Amino acid sequence: MAWLLVIVAGVLETGFAVCLKLSHGFTRLWPTVAFCAFALGSFGLLTISLKKLDVGPAYAVWTGIGAAGTAIYGMVFLGDLVSTLKIVSISFVIIGVIGLQLSGSAH
């Protein structure tokens, strides 16, 4: 259950990063409100999951999902540059997170 919370928190991290961009420096109301909601949800779920999980792997999964998800969202929906190097790099982030998770989480 704790890992499910980390995964949902990572998806919410993607949401708050995207909303941060869409808020244009907190000058647009609804993206700013959405940023706050996603951030509170993400940090809240991560906090709850850390009661049961080691901080290193949990944090790596959380940030990995957020980083990869945000980059993918940007390329698909926001017109960010798509390149082979970017896709390979996102793949390395995901592989690294999986490797860290498999390397020693005993819970």
Side-chain angles (χ1 to χ4, degrees):
M1 182 64 174
W3 281 112
L4 178 61
L5 294 179
V6 172
I7 291 167
V8 173
V11 171
L12 292 175
E13 183 187 0
T14 297
F16 82 68
V18 170
C19 288
L20 187 61
K21 174 163 178 65
L22 297 176
S23 77
H24 290 269
F26 300 124
T27 61
R28 294 184 175 167
L29 178 63
W30 294 115
T32 300
V33 169
F35 162 79
C36 292
F38 282 127
L40 285 172
S42 181
F43 287 116
L45 292 177
L46 181 63
T47 299
I48 293 167
S49 71
L50 289 176
K51 292 178 181 179
K52 302 264 186 205
L53 301 173
D54 292 338
V55 69
Y59 184 75
V61 169
W62 179 69
T63 57
I65 291 169
T70 303
I72 292 166
Y73 187 95
M75 289 186 289
V76 173
F77 297 107
L78 300 178
D80 290 357
L81 176 67
V82 178
S83 69
T84 302
L85 181 57
K86 189 179 276 191
I87 292 168
V88 169
S89 298
I90 291 168
S91 300
F92 282 144
V93 168
I94 294 167
I95 291 166
V97 165
I98 291 169
L100 183 58
Q101 162 52 12
L102 294 175
S103 72
S105 182
H107 299 286

